[in-house]
């Protein structure tokens, strides 16, 4: 009870500081600090350090990844977004002074991007999408929304990287991941580890293809999806309408 009361008082104080705009130190998530190095190594396999790429990040959290990755890929244009409005200040503080990181935006990825209060700068022209540790700790609607919206945000051939723990062909392993999955379900029945086979199907339904699964430390994986070019007549019609609206 005392721990809970301290946490509530801390949250209230932090909210007050944010409201007064006098917070000076951003939060740091230990998990983000641990995984930024391994994730960066995967990104380096696909992206050149001086490539002038446009990146749209979903669920940016505290902004630690935006800071680390945009520092390494110094020619990239990085666009962080986050559902939790209280984290926007943390992102701003982590990325303060970084000219290649845009101001963070509050985005509900489960909603169609046409309904967002925020307009992405490079609609249909992003080279990279990034989503770290969101799929398993959010409702399934967010997973569907991620692929649905990325199909509109990414250019053809663009890449989407997702990171986290996953089930494989109906099996969750090792036991620590099973326990983690059960703990997530106990907190919110709509959360939990998603199966890679299911994500492959959802991505394909929205014009993306799972190209690679990379094993990561701590029983996590990075999934690499590619935005497919139009292959059917309906796809070509959609693309012509897309171009007619001046989105490409």
């Amino acid at each position: 009870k005392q721990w809970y009361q301290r946490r509530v008082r801390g949250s209230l104080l932090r909210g007050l500081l944010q409201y007064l705009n006098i917070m000076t130190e951003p939060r740091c998530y230990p998990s983000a600090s641990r995984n930024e190095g391994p994730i960066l190594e995967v990104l380096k396999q696909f992206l050149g350090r001086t490539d002038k790429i446009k990146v749209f990040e979903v669920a940016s959290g505290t902004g630690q990844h935006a800071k680390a990755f945009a520092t390494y890929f110094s020619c990239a244009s990085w666009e962080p977004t986050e559902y939790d409005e209280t984290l926007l200040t943390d992102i701003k503080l982590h990325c303060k002074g970084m000219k290649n990181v845009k101001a963070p935006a509050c985005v509900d990825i489960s909603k169609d991007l046409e309904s967002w209060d925020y307009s992405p700068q490079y609609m249909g022209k992003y080279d990279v999408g990034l989503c770290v540790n969101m799929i398993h700790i959010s409702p399934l609607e967010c997973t569907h929304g991620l692929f649905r919206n990325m199909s509109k945000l990414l250019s053809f051939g663009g890449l989407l990287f997702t990171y986290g723990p996953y089930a494989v062909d109906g099996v969750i392993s090792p036991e620590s991941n099973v326990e983690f999955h059960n703990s997530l379900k106990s907190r919110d029945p709509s959360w939990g580890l998603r199966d890679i086979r299911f994500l492959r199907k959802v991505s394909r339904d929205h014009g993306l293809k799972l190209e690679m699964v990379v094993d990561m430390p701590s029983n996590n994986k990075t999934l690499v999806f590619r935005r497919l070019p139009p292959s059917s007549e309906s796809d070509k019609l959609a693309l012509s309408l897309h171009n007619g609206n001046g989105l490409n």
Side-chain angles (χ1 to χ4, degrees), residues 57-146:
E57 185 181 9
V58 175
S60 298
T62 61
Q64 291 165 254
H65 289 146
K67 177 182 180 181
F69 302 154
T71 296
Y72 182 85
F73 298 106
S74 57
C75 295
S77 174
W78 208 276
E79 208 162 329
T81 68
E82 172 57 45
Y83 175 72
D84 184 351
E85 291 187 63
T86 68
L87 288 167
L88 298 183
T89 299
D90 297 274
I91 298 172
K92 291 176 183 176
L93 289 172
H94 272 295
C95 300
K96 185 177 181 180
M98 297 184 67
K99 295 181 179 180
N100 63 328
V101 179
K102 300 187 181 301
C106 186
V107 162
D108 181 351
I109 197 64
S110 72
K111 307 297 184 184
D112 287 336
L113 58 81
E114 290 84 0
S115 68
W116 295 352
D117 293 331
Y118 170 71
S119 297
Q121 184 170 357
Y122 302 108
M123 183 74 75
K125 296 183 179 180
Y126 290 93
D127 304 290
V128 175
L130 178 66
C131 182
V132 174
N133 279 338
M134 183 205 78
I135 290 177
H136 61 285
I137 199 165
S138 61
L140 193 57
E141 291 81 2
C142 293
T143 297
H144 285 286
L146 174 67

Side-chain angles (χ1 to χ4, degrees), residues 126-212:
Y126 290 93
D127 304 290
V128 175
L130 178 66
C131 182
V132 174
N133 279 338
M134 183 205 78
I135 290 177
H136 61 285
I137 199 165
S138 61
L140 193 57
E141 291 81 2
C142 293
T143 297
H144 285 286
L146 174 67
F147 290 105
R148 185 174 64 251
N149 288 311
M150 278 297 167
S151 72
K152 302 173 186 177
L153 290 166
L154 289 173
S155 59
F156 294 115
L159 297 171
L160 169 63
F161 298 86
T162 72
Y163 169 93
Y166 302 94
V168 180
D169 294 328
V171 177
I172 298 176
S173 66
E175 186 60 29
S176 59
N177 273 4
V178 175
E179 294 173 357
F180 183 46
H181 172 76
N182 292 336
S183 70
L184 292 174
K185 285 290 187 183
S186 68
R187 291 166 60 187
D188 190 321
S190 68
W191 295 0
L193 275 63
R194 314 300 181 191
D195 199 295
I196 293 177
R197 181 168 52 188
F198 166 75
L199 297 177
R200 180 184 286 112
K201 180 184 183 303
V202 174
S203 67
R204 193 67 190 233
D205 289 343
H206 294 290
L208 289 95
K209 179 184 178 181
L210 178 60
E211 282 203 344
M212 185 178 292

